[in-house]
Amino acid sequence: ALDKQDNPQLALVSDLRAALISGDQLELHYQTQHHPGSGELVGMEALLRWRHPKGGMISPGEFIPLAERHGLMAELGSWVIEKACAQQAHWQNSGMPKTTVWVNISALQLFQGDLETQLATCLERYQLEPSQLGLELTESVLLDERAGDMGPRLQALRELGYSIAIDDFGTGYSSLAYLNRFPLDALKIDRSFVNRMDDADQNGCIATAIASLAHDLGLKVVAEGVETERQLDKIRSLSVEYAQGYLFDK
């Protein structure tokens, strides 16, 4: 108790533990993904939000690092998978067309918990197909030695029907070696590159290079943070398969 008085972060960790127990403060928001040409809805990304009873909406950039440091990521990740599958089942029962909902997977989920078993249990409980749940991993997850050799595990997940994407490509280690080493389906171009794609600078060049590289490797491309018609036009010219951002829906 004395530590909490002197350290607001410790108090926030305690509140996060309580939020996981109660389950009524955490929320999943879904950002839609569209085909750049037709505008057709092709998927959604599940985004975790925390509505603190006193502090209001707390940014994931603030509480996710705390969850990682204090051993809460496996439990938090399990909550996200459970809620995303429940929402998918609700949409399916409501007659919505089948689309893929993408969830973010952390390194801690991969080496602390039994991710494969949890995925299978949720799909069976909610009568879903593996193709309805996509797994997003950051570059740092693939290179985290604590998770062991990721290749066989990712291959097994793909064989079961899950799609696997690399999130925020180009902002982390960006080791091109793992693109051949790991079985992947898609790369996501980070919003920091997309936001300036219509400018004649290196960011536009990087986004173009990422899309070209991905297509040469047989991977699909998702452009994040599309906010203007000019950016969308550029995305179309690169034959990017998926686009998401405020231009379509917040």
Side-chain angles (χ1 to χ4, degrees):
L2 289 172
D3 282 341
K4 289 179 190 175
Q5 291 176 17
D6 295 330
N7 191 335
Q9 285 195 331
L10 284 179
L12 203 59
V13 170
S14 179
D15 290 346
L16 183 56
R17 287 196 176 97
L20 278 166
I21 293 171
S22 67
D24 59 357
Q25 298 176 27
L26 299 174
E27 304 173 359
L28 283 186
H29 293 195
Y30 297 87
Q31 188 171 53
T32 56
Q33 297 174 336
H34 299 261
H35 186 278
S38 65
E40 177 189 3
L41 176 67
V42 291
M44 300 186 192
E45 181 182 3
L47 303 168
L48 181 61
R49 298 291 183 263
W50 181 13
R51 195 180 298 274
H52 193 280
K54 295 181 179 178
M57 291 295 277
I58 298 179
S59 166
E62 186 175 352
F63 71 83
I64 291 296
L66 286 177
E68 290 176 338
R69 285 201 299 272
H70 293 272
L72 296 177
M73 269 313 297
E75 189 177 354
L76 204 56
S78 296
W79 187 92
V80 170
I81 291 173
E82 179 77 26
K83 293 301 179 182
C85 287
Q87 184 64 65
Q88 267 283 51
H90 173 71
W91 283 330
Q92 183 171 281
N93 295 334
S94 302
M96 279 184 62
K98 287 184 179 181
T99 58
T100 300
V101 168
W102 294 85
V103 296
N104 292 281
I105 303 297
S106 71
L108 291 170
Q109 281 175 269
L110 289 166
F111 79 86
Q112 282 188 344
D114 192 345
L115 176 65
E116 292 83 351
T117 299
Q118 189 203 357
L119 290 171
T121 300
C122 280
L123 292 188
E124 183 178 2
R125 179 182 300 133
Y126 295 107
Q127 298 297 297
L128 301 174
E129 302 169 3
S131 60
Q132 292 175 266
L133 196 66
L135 310 178
E136 288 190 10
L137 302 92
T138 61
E139 297 170 308
S140 58
V141 169
L142 292 180
L143 300 175
D144 195 320
E145 295 180 353
R146 297 173 298 175
D149 185 2
M150 290 293 301
R153 293 187 71 181
L154 294 182
Q155 183 60 44
L157 287 167
R158 280 191 75 205
E159 289 173 357
L160 290 172
Y162 300 100
S163 295
I164 299 171
I166 299 301
D167 195 15
D168 301 334
F169 183 79
T171 61
Y173 294 96
S174 301
S175 171
L176 299 182
Y178 68 66
L179 294 181
N180 277 327
R181 217 173 105 209
F182 297 115
L184 305 171
D185 296 285
L187 292 184
K188 299 190 74 173
I189 303 177
D190 184 70
R191 63 184 300 113
S192 62
F193 301 131
V194 173
N195 284 344
R196 298 179 64 186
M197 282 187 73
D198 48 356
D199 296 337
D201 63 7
Q202 63 176 354
N203 290 299
C205 294
I206 289 173
T208 302
I210 291 173
S212 177
L213 174 64
H215 288 143
D216 286 345
L217 292 170
L219 304 176
K220 294 181 179 179
V221 180
V222 184
E224 294 183 297
V226 179
E227 298 180 354
T228 68
E229 289 289 347
R230 292 182 65 187
Q231 291 167 3
L232 183 60
D233 288 341
K234 183 66 174 179
I235 290 296
R236 289 195 191 104
S237 71
L238 298 178
S239 301
V240 167
E241 286 81 5
Y242 307 109
Q244 68 183 87
Y246 284 2
L247 180 64
F248 300 100
D249 203 334
K250 291 188 178 182

